[in-house]
Amino acid sequence: MKQKEFLEAFKAEFWYQLIRKFGMSKGMSIFEKYLRRSLIPIYIFSLVFFTHYHYEILLISLTFVGCTWLSLIAMDAIKRIYHRRYELCKNPGGFRDFDEFSFREKISSYLISAVTLTAIFASGMVFAAFTRTGELNLNLFISMLSIPLVLAYNLSKNRQRE
């Protein structure tokens, strides 16, 4: 039963994030819709361009920005998933809302989601750079340093609300 609520919340959050990231949300202005729809192709083109022409500093910087963005998405999504799961449960006695988690539980939840998503992205970037240039550019894993920054930002934001 616990998995049912979590999967339902995960599915709802996945669709929410997808609709929002691709500019298909109803509450967005026309400018914001087109900006969101063009951001990902521009980002991908920039990554390919920087990889092809061996602009390593710019590639690492752009990957850092991408990992920061993904960390923010992952941490926001896990918080929203736990909140939705709490709301979906007919008898919330066994579930707690994310705001009720202890400090250690919040850090664990944030880190698991952020490290997973950003590690997949950084690994993909290392693989893409290797297939494009033949060089194993492990410097792209420097972008994983965005996780502690985003974690500190989210935890400080949560403390301000309390």
Side-chain angles (χ1 to χ4, degrees), residues 6 10 13 17 71-84 98 101 106 108-114 154:
F6 188 81
F10 182 84
E13 182 61 24
Q17 291 290 341
S71 295
L72 282 167
I73 291 170
M75 290 182 195
D76 179 52
I78 199 69
K79 184 178 176 181
R80 292 171 55 87
I81 287 170
Y82 280 113
H83 181 70
R84 284 184 192 218
F98 191 81
F101 282 18
K106 286 179 182 179
S108 298
S109 298
Y110 279 151
L111 282 177
I112 290 169
S113 60
N154 275 334

Side-chain angles (χ1 to χ4, degrees), residues 10-128:
F10 182 84
K11 186 172 85 172
E13 182 61 24
F14 176 81
W15 285 110
Y16 168 79
Q17 291 290 341
L18 188 68
I19 288 169
R20 191 166 162 234
K21 297 303 175 243
F22 287 104
M24 297 182 286
S25 187
K26 292 179 182 171
M28 293 181 180
S29 68
I30 291 178
F31 174 75
E32 189 177 7
K33 284 183 181 185
Y34 285 108
L35 179 68
R36 286 184 183 262
R37 289 178 185 165
S38 62
L39 241 148
I40 293 175
I42 290 170
Y43 185 82
I44 292 170
F45 174 77
S46 300
L47 287 173
V48 170
F49 182 80
F50 296 156
T51 302
H52 180 72
Y53 290 106
H54 302 280
Y55 296 135
E56 190 169 332
I57 301 285
L58 293 174
L59 181 61
I60 291 170
S61 300
L62 201 57
T63 306
F64 184 83
V65 168
C67 283
T68 303
W69 184 53
L70 288 174
S71 295
L72 282 167
I73 291 170
M75 290 182 195
D76 179 52
I78 199 69
K79 184 178 176 181
R80 292 171 55 87
I81 287 170
Y82 280 113
H83 181 70
R84 284 184 192 218
R85 181 186 73 168
Y86 179 77
E87 288 178 341
L88 287 172
C89 186
K90 292 176 178 61
N91 181 14
F95 294 120
R96 291 178 292 154
D97 197 0
F98 191 81
D99 293 333
E100 298 170 4
F101 282 18
S102 70
F103 183 73
R104 190 180 76 230
E105 290 170 327
K106 286 179 182 179
I107 287 179
S108 298
S109 298
Y110 279 151
L111 282 177
I112 290 169
S113 60
V115 168
T116 302
L117 192 57
T118 54
I120 290 170
F121 177 73
S123 300
M125 290 307 306
V126 168
F127 179 73

